[in-house]
Structures are given as structure tokens and as C-alpha cells.
Amino acid sequence: MFYFKLNEDSELRLLEPRHAENLFNLTDKSRNYLREWLPWVDVIKEKSNSKGFIEGTMKQFSNNNCFQAGIWYKGELAGVIGLHGINWANKSTSLGYWLGEEYQGKGLMTNACKSVIEYCFNVLNLKRIEIRAATENLKSQAIPKKLGFQKEGCIRSSEFLYDRYVDHYVYGLINEDFNRVT
């Protein structure tokens, strides 16, 4: 299946059902940390929930609609990065990502995002990529800022997080801008 080496310590691998236990354990270990910004954490109660997620994303991948890859660091699953569907008519997509708490601050997400963006623009020939992040989620916002995305606006009450709605900033990057700076 899909494999992409980021550097000597990290790589991307398409998530497969055999990774369900790794994914569940990572989610469970970082549950309190992830719950602050991810609305799906409480739905993941057992390994079968992670397996169901992976199987769903494999179906989307086979339909040429998106992918979810594990971010592996020194042989351990550290997080997930993927596309939230591809709008082929407009050649656009949105990028989502998360890391387990213990893997923060190692540059993993910046490298993973840059590689996925290069793939989207240079292999899939997409025109536009969006990243959305809660207005208070500074760590998530740092990624698009580092990679040359433009903050395009704010979507109010964009997402319900357990007990409240949060606003999202929308960051956009188009092919020409990315290829000009890389």
C-alpha cells in the first residue's frame, strides 16, 4: 500500500485495518489532549471503532475521493493526516491532521503536511487546499502559517465541540503560490 518516507525517523503509510489497534491505542492514550479540539474522540471507545474508521477511509480511497495516512515516527504510530474528500470538479480539497500528545514539537506535522500538499498539487494536479482550525487552536493554526497558506476568513459557530460551538479560521493555498515558494 501507500508509503512515503518523510525523513530517516518518520514516514506516512495509508491506514489499513491491521493498524486499528495502534490507532485505538494512540487515540486512547491521548484522549484528554485530543478531546479539546476533535469532536469524534468520545465515539472511539474500542478497537473496532478505529477499524471501522479505517475501513471507511479505505473505501473512500478506492473511490479516488480521499485518503487517511498514519504518521509513523521511529516505528510508532504518532498521528493521522488526510484529505476530507476531493472536489474533482473544482480541483480542491481540505486537509486534516492530528498528533498524539507525546509526539508534539518534533516537526512531524509540518513535514507531513508539506509532503501531502506537494502530492496534492504535483501528482493529483489540484488547484486549492484548505485547512480549517478553531480560532483558539494556535497549534493547529501554526501549520498553515508556516506553509504559506493565507488566512481567508472566519466561519462562525463552525463546529460543535461537546458543549459549545467554536469558530474556525479558513486558510487557503493555491497551487501557484505553493510552487512559487518551494
Side-chain angles (χ1 to χ4, degrees), residues 98-123:
W98 62 270
L99 281 175
E101 185 172 15
E102 68 184 280
Y103 298 100
Q104 299 287 320
K106 300 179 185 315
L108 291 171
M109 194 53 73
T110 302
N111 288 337
C113 283
K114 185 174 181 187
S115 295
V116 170
I117 291 165
E118 288 173 352
Y119 176 77
C120 287
F121 286 150
N122 299 328
V123 176

Side-chain angles (χ1 to χ4, degrees), residues 37-182:
W37 300 116
L38 299 173
W40 50 262
V41 174
D42 287 356
V43 175
I44 307 300
K45 297 178 181 178
E46 55 192 40
K47 181 177 130 179
S48 64
N49 301 130
S50 295
K51 185 177 181 192
F53 165 76
I54 292 170
E55 289 170 343
T57 63
M58 288 186 75
K59 185 174 182 177
Q60 289 176 309
F61 179 73
S62 70
N63 290 331
N64 201 28
N65 190 30
C66 77
F67 71 88
Q68 298 291 321
I71 302 168
W72 298 81
Y73 177 70
K74 296 185 177 181
E76 300 290 323
L77 183 61
V80 175
I81 187 168
L83 305 179
H84 298 140
I86 300 172
N87 180 328
W88 288 106
N90 292 309
K91 294 190 171 207
S92 65
T93 191
S94 66
L95 182 60
Y97 45 81
W98 62 270
L99 281 175
E101 185 172 15
E102 68 184 280
Y103 298 100
Q104 299 287 320
K106 300 179 185 315
L108 291 171
M109 194 53 73
T110 302
N111 288 337
C113 283
K114 185 174 181 187
S115 295
V116 170
I117 291 165
E118 288 173 352
Y119 176 77
C120 287
F121 286 150
N122 299 328
V123 176
L124 299 178
N125 296 313
L126 297 182
K127 174 72 173 175
R128 175 183 168 78
I129 300 172
E130 279 186 9
I131 293 176
R132 295 183 182 201
T135 57
E136 296 173 14
N137 188 345
L138 302 180
K139 286 183 180 181
S140 217
Q141 291 174 46
I143 300 296
K145 289 177 182 178
K146 285 181 195 173
L147 296 174
F149 282 69
Q150 292 182 23
K151 186 190 284 186
E152 297 178 336
C154 180
I155 301 173
R156 297 179 304 148
S157 296
S158 178
E159 183 175 47
F160 187 73
L161 285 178
Y162 306 103
D163 61 352
R164 72 194 191 290
Y165 281 92
V166 295
D167 299 343
H168 278 186
Y169 288 135
V170 177
Y171 295 88
L173 182 65
I174 60 172
N175 188 318
E176 297 87 346
D177 292 344
F178 182 73
N179 286 320
R180 189 172 33 235
V181 297
T182 58

